[in-house]
Amino acid sequence: MKKLENIFVALNGWALILMLSAMAIIVGSNITLRYVTSHSLPWADEAARYLMIWLTFIGAGLILRFGGHVAITNLQDSLPQIGQRLLRAAIVAMLLAFFAFMVHVGWQYAQRMQYQVTPALRLPFLYIYAAMPVGFSLLIVHLLLIARSFIEAGRYRSLGPDSDDTAALPGGANG
């Protein structure tokens, strides 16, 4: 199971790297063409914008996994150990419910937009708005994979492949 989880995280990370690289190449090429030939690619800004949307939704799960989202832990820190665990369990339950709701809403919205196409690329907006249900589905998977260690000890996954998975990150809920 751990090996499968590592493969999942690695694939998620490589997808982000590829999207960010494509975005940099497209924007860089467009800037170069604009200054060298006085013409730019008509679809470059649109492609970069849609890659940024996908990058944001796909990357949110990895950021959640490593404790990178903003967290205010004053209440949790003031509670006894059992209270901290109960609060973290409630937070995980609320997040799972919210993420599931957003998958549903995102899918409905993407379906409504399937017949409209983007101005320059002529892609159906379905492919753009699908980032929302896909991203929130990945958030659910990442949250489920870290839920036990987060609830029990307030720990996130470590960033390095050689580091201990139970290490708490600075600024994280280290109950």
Side-chain angles (χ1 to χ4, degrees), residues 31-50:
I31 291 169
T32 303
L33 283 172
R34 190 178 305 141
Y35 285 107
V36 172
T37 67
S38 297
H39 297 290
S40 62
L41 301 169
W43 51 267
D45 293 337
E46 191 175 286
R49 183 180 316 119
Y50 299 148

Side-chain angles (χ1 to χ4, degrees), residues 6 11 25-26 40 46 55 61 64 66 71 95-97 100 134 138 141-142 145 149:
N6 289 339
L11 287 174
I25 290 168
I26 290 168
S40 62
E46 191 175 286
L55 192 70
L64 174 76
F66 300 119
L95 284 174
L96 284 172
V134 170
L138 289 174
V141 173
H142 282 291
L145 290 171
S149 63

Side-chain angles (χ1 to χ4, degrees), residues 11-142:
L11 287 174
N12 198 170
W14 277 106
L16 293 173
I17 290 168
L18 290 174
M19 283 186 274
L20 186 60
S21 299
M23 200 168 74
I25 290 168
I26 290 168
V27 170
S29 299
N30 196 34
I31 291 169
T32 303
L33 283 172
R34 190 178 305 141
Y35 285 107
V36 172
T37 67
S38 297
H39 297 290
S40 62
L41 301 169
W43 51 267
D45 293 337
E46 191 175 286
R49 183 180 316 119
Y50 299 148
L51 282 169
M52 178 61 82
I53 291 168
W54 271 91
L55 192 70
T56 300
F57 280 106
I58 300 298
L62 281 178
I63 299 301
L64 174 76
R65 173 183 206 80
F66 300 119
H69 291 289
V70 175
I72 301 171
T73 61
N74 294 356
L75 173 62
Q76 177 184 286
D77 295 341
S78 67
L79 295 173
Q81 182 108 6
I82 189 69
Q84 290 180 3
R85 285 186 180 156
L86 291 173
L87 179 63
R88 287 191 298 263
I91 289 170
V92 167
M94 287 187 288
L95 284 174
L96 284 172
F98 176 71
F99 295 163
F101 174 73
M102 293 307 289
V103 168
H104 175 70
V105 170
W107 182 246
Q108 285 182 332
Y109 195 64
Q111 285 181 323
R112 275 188 231 138
M113 302 302 288
Q114 68 183 335
Y115 299 112
Q116 292 185 9
V117 294
T118 62
L121 293 171
R122 309 301 295 164
L123 285 171
F125 270 107
L126 170 70
Y127 298 127
I128 311 309
Y129 289 106
M132 188 173 168
V134 170
F136 277 105
S137 296
L138 289 174
L139 274 162
I140 289 171
V141 173
H142 282 291

